[in-house]
Amino acid sequence: MTTTVGTTTDPTTPVAQGSALWPAQARASQVFGRQLVISRAEGSFIETEDGRRLFDGTAGLWHANIGHSRPELARAAYEQMMNLETYHTFARFTNDRAAELAEMLAEVSPIPDPKLILNSGGSDAIDVACKLARRHWQREGRESKQIILSREFAYHGLHAYGTSIAGLEFNREGYGTESLVPETARVSFNDPEQVRRAVAEIGAENIAAIVTEPVQGTGGVNPPTEGYLETIQELCRENDILLILDEVITGFGRLGTMFATERYGLQPDLVTFAKGVTSGYAPLGGIFVSRRIWEPFFADTDDAPIFRHGSTYAGHATAAAVAVEHLKILRDEKLVDRVRELEPTFVKDLEDLARNNPEVTEVRYAGLLGGVTLREGVAVEKVCDRMIDKGFISRPLRGNTLQVSPPFIVTEQELTDFLAAMSEAITEEAAA
């Protein structure tokens, strides 16, 4: 039902009378009555309440890396809750599982000798990282360094800072200002010289940090163009700008290395993480902080500065226990190595798809992360609907692109079947 300006939606319409749960990232009227209620899952497959079994070709929202319903993680959560569900980590207090997890993460850190800030997810981590970047420069007495640069098409969650640095403009629209946090600006996602010009125009003395995904996810699965990340890092070093890598998607093996920093040879100041630290079994994220940033805050003096971060569930004991068990599974089952071993087959299948289906204009990939872009006029949303009918899940991304990011436990045959179903769905939709 369409209403006129100044009125509210009729509360008796079917949409308004639907579920009390507000759907995320959707126009309610377009999903009401069509939502898939997921009731169980196992391995690389999920099942709906009405009995459909679907291959999870997106690993949920890029996170179900070790597959669904692992009993080891259920036991870890149960045993921890029976002992201590959680306790906060403010001031003199901490809990043993948060401390254990921090030490384990420090051992695999993409940053040498880090400190860890734990929280509840990727959006939290971005908020804290951007605040810490500004806090660093204020502590240094360089008050003008406040602006956070990010890339066009970037996605960094939807908290206030993540919304403000979003390179997907629709995520910043509708709040009354161009950016919720005004000291932000976007730069080119693939042209390092444009970034260099932007730094010169804004003035390095005004820029606190550049934040970037090593491989853009929601923006369309965009691996870095040759020399892009290296130039960004060089610009940061030359101009005293902090480099923040958002590894919420790429961290913990998605690219065939534990972190993308290894694959691309980077040395960031801050690294955010989330999804892959627990494979989604518990909401947990955080930040690796380099010595350059953390050391002054740990000075053994009465006037050492304080960084006012923290939330009730930062270092949640049960989430930490799940993460510890999850990291053991990654290690013991050599799943990061498995991603590296699967990548050649993954790349070949994607390139075969592009070569054999004229509706595909481009495929992009790194590790087990892929994007399939369709020609204008073939709607990815409808292709995704057709894929569900065939028993497979993909997801529409920016640029008329289909997401491909299966769990690490996927078999070569499952990958082949998934992309074959995608090709069929694309062809059918193009002919409709």
Side-chain angles (χ1 to χ4, degrees):
M1 176 178 179
T2 302
T3 59
T4 57
V5 175
T7 68
T8 58
T9 302
D10 183 344
T12 65
T13 63
V15 172
Q17 290 183 324
S19 170
L21 182 63
W22 193 321
Q25 290 283 55
R27 180 172 286 113
S29 61
Q30 293 181 352
V31 299
F32 175 75
R34 300 179 62 241
Q35 288 177 291
L36 298 168
V37 180
I38 310 305
S39 58
R40 70 180 309 274
E42 184 176 6
S44 295
F45 292 83
I46 64 171
E47 291 185 19
T48 63
E49 198 174 49
D50 60 2
R52 281 181 279 184
R53 186 170 185 262
L54 305 172
F55 176 74
D56 189 4
T58 63
L61 287 176
W62 326 85
H63 65 258
N65 296 340
I66 68 168
H68 299 283
S69 301
R70 296 289 298 253
E72 307 97 308
L73 298 188
R75 283 195 296 270
Y78 171 79
E79 290 170 3
Q80 183 59 44
M81 286 185 184
M82 292 300 292
N83 189 57
L84 168 69
E85 77 293 345
T86 196
Y87 207 78
H88 68 80
T89 59
F90 281 41
R92 291 184 61 195
F93 293 91
T94 188
N95 67 72
D96 56 347
R97 302 319 299 270
E100 179 186 4
L101 175 61
E103 294 304 320
M104 181 177 279
L105 290 172
E107 290 180 6
V108 299
S109 171
I111 291 176
D113 192 22
K115 297 296 184 186
L116 274 293
I117 295 175
L118 298 177
N119 49 44
S120 300
S123 292
D124 285 0
I126 284 291
D127 244 39
V128 174
C130 291
K131 286 169 62 180
L132 181 53
R134 289 185 58 160
R135 181 72 178 91
H136 168 76
W137 292 118
Q138 296 300 300
R139 186 200 56 75
E140 289 274 303
R142 301 173 70 175
E143 289 83 0
S144 66
K145 290 177 79 66
Q146 300 176 10
I147 295 174
I148 307 291
L149 298 186
S150 54
R151 297 162 65 190
E152 59 183 343
F153 310 140
Y155 179 84
H156 298 290
L158 292 174
H159 285 2
Y161 244 122
T163 298
S164 299
I165 63 175
L168 298 165
E169 292 189 6
F170 52 77
N171 279 336
R172 295 201 316 276
E173 293 173 349
Y175 300 106
T177 59
E178 198 274 335
S179 182
L180 289 173
V181 179
E183 297 87 6
T184 57
R186 262 62 56 197
V187 296
S188 171
F189 84 105
N190 64 356
D191 181 353
E193 292 312 308
Q194 188 277 335
V195 181
R196 191 180 294 277
R197 291 192 298 272
V199 169
E201 291 168 6
I202 294 169
E205 70 279 6
N206 299 314
I207 301 172
I210 297 176
V211 56
T212 179
E213 302 156 275
V215 177
Q216 290 187 330
T218 304
V221 183
N222 302 312
T225 54
E226 186 174 355
Y228 182 91
L229 292 176
E230 294 84 347
T231 300
I232 297 296
Q233 179 165 269
E234 182 181 302
L235 274 171
C236 288
R237 297 294 173 260
E238 290 173 352
N239 294 282
D240 256 0
I241 297 169
L242 300 185
L243 176 59
I244 304 173
L245 287 190
D246 180 346
E247 292 229 38
V248 168
I249 290 175
T250 55
F252 302 97
R254 176 56 65 178
L255 299 189
T257 53
M258 187 61 93
F259 294 92
T261 51
E262 302 167 48
R263 181 167 176 137
Y264 297 115
L266 302 173
Q267 297 177 323
D269 298 290
L270 300 165
V271 174
T272 65
F273 63 88
K275 302 177 187 295
V277 71
T278 67
S279 281
Y281 279 78
L284 191 149
I287 310 166
F288 294 99
V289 183
S290 65
R291 175 178 282 273
R292 173 189 183 187
I293 308 300
W294 66 254
E295 194 166 41
F297 294 93
F298 282 75
D300 189 13
T301 62
D302 290 339
D303 61 350
I306 297 175
F307 177 48
R308 296 290 182 181
H309 75 90
S311 59
T312 302
Y313 301 131
H316 192 281
T318 300
V322 169
V324 166
E325 186 64 31
H326 170 263
L327 293 174
K328 291 176 182 176
I329 289 172
L330 274 186
R331 179 196 65 203
D332 295 346
E333 298 184 9
K334 297 180 171 57
L335 291 178
V336 179
D337 293 341
R338 177 168 176 74
V339 172
R340 193 158 51 248
E341 292 162 3
L342 283 170
E343 184 172 9
T345 299
F346 184 58
V347 169
K348 179 182 181 299
D349 285 350
L350 283 171
E351 290 182 342
D352 286 347
L353 173 61
R355 184 167 47 253
N356 297 327
N357 194 315
E359 312 303 334
V360 176
T361 61
E362 185 181 8
V363 292
R364 296 176 298 281
Y365 41 75
L368 274 184
L369 189 58
V372 177
T373 299
L374 310 184
R375 70 168 176 82
E376 189 176 350
V378 182
V380 291
E381 293 85 356
K382 293 183 178 179
V383 171
C384 288
D385 288 344
R386 291 179 181 274
M387 289 187 68
I388 287 170
D389 291 340
K390 296 175 183 293
F392 298 85
I393 295 175
S394 182
R395 198 167 71 99
L397 304 175
R398 183 207 67 85
N400 215 35
T401 296
L402 292 158
Q403 177 180 335
V404 185
S405 60
F408 298 174
I409 60 169
V410 67
T411 67
E412 290 189 7
Q413 187 60 54
E414 286 167 346
L415 267 178
T416 298
D417 292 346
F418 175 50
L419 292 175
M422 179 176 287
S423 187
E424 288 178 8
I426 292 167
T427 299
E428 289 170 3
E429 181 56 33

